Amino acid sequence: MEKLLISACLMGVKCKYSGGSNALPEETLGALREKFLLIPVCPETAGGLPTPRAPSERQGERVVSKLGADVTGQFEKGARIALRLAQMYGCETALMKSRSPSCGNGTVYDGSFSGRLVPGYGTAAEMLMAHGVRVINENETEKINKCK
């Protein structure tokens, strides 16, 4: 069975910055479980950040919390752990949380904490893609059928 790296919050794990999750509908998760062995990861908690935590946004190469703390190191550590999991399990695809400063693919918040989106990628998504892992998000589930 093919393995799929997936943001843990999409599976209902309460690791979102606010202490909640971004759980996909159970029917979507069920369909994914039929096709894939799901490998959950939360790069932010894997990198050492607590739950709950202050929200963070990318500011260029850095990641900064709304309180002004530079959390780039924790985000980079979490990205390395996500990549290691993908490589260890042979995941060719990752289903990651959209707009996230760690998992977002294509758009992320602009770093001003104003809610404005800009083109860009989260640290983990960027690292996964740089190493050949295809990254999609929960808004692109139609692409899941096109995965090998």
Side-chain angles (χ1 to χ4, degrees), residues 18-29:
S18 63
S21 78
N22 295 301
L24 292 171
E26 191 52 46
E27 50 279 2
T28 302
L29 282 173

Side-chain angles (χ1 to χ4, degrees), residues 1-116:
M1 178 175 272
E2 186 177 350
K3 286 113 181 150
L4 177 71
L5 191 72
I6 182 170
S7 293
C9 65
L10 296 177
M11 292 186 69
V13 176
K14 293 182 178 181
C15 55
K16 185 177 172 178
Y17 75 90
S18 63
S21 78
N22 295 301
L24 292 171
E26 191 52 46
E27 50 279 2
T28 302
L29 282 173
L32 289 171
R33 285 185 185 109
E34 286 180 16
K35 187 170 183 177
F36 301 99
L37 175 62
L38 302 179
I39 310 299
V41 64
C42 174
E44 295 175 28
T45 59
L49 294 171
T51 303
R53 59 190 167 275
S56 298
E57 294 186 3
R58 291 206 65 177
Q59 294 179 350
E61 294 298 313
R62 298 176 49 227
V63 184
V64 178
S65 81
K66 192 170 186 175
L67 302 176
D70 186 332
V71 290
T72 305
Q74 292 94 327
F75 274 71
E76 289 174 347
K77 178 181 178 184
R80 288 190 302 272
I81 290 169
L83 176 60
R84 204 169 316 133
L85 281 171
Q87 292 172 333
M88 184 170 49
Y89 285 97
C91 300
E92 295 178 8
T93 302
L95 176 59
M96 308 297 277
K97 177 66 186 112
S98 63
R99 302 182 311 261
S100 160
S102 56
C103 299
N105 70 318
T107 57
V108 293
Y109 292 103
D110 71 357
S112 68
F113 298 94
S114 64
R116 196 176 75 183

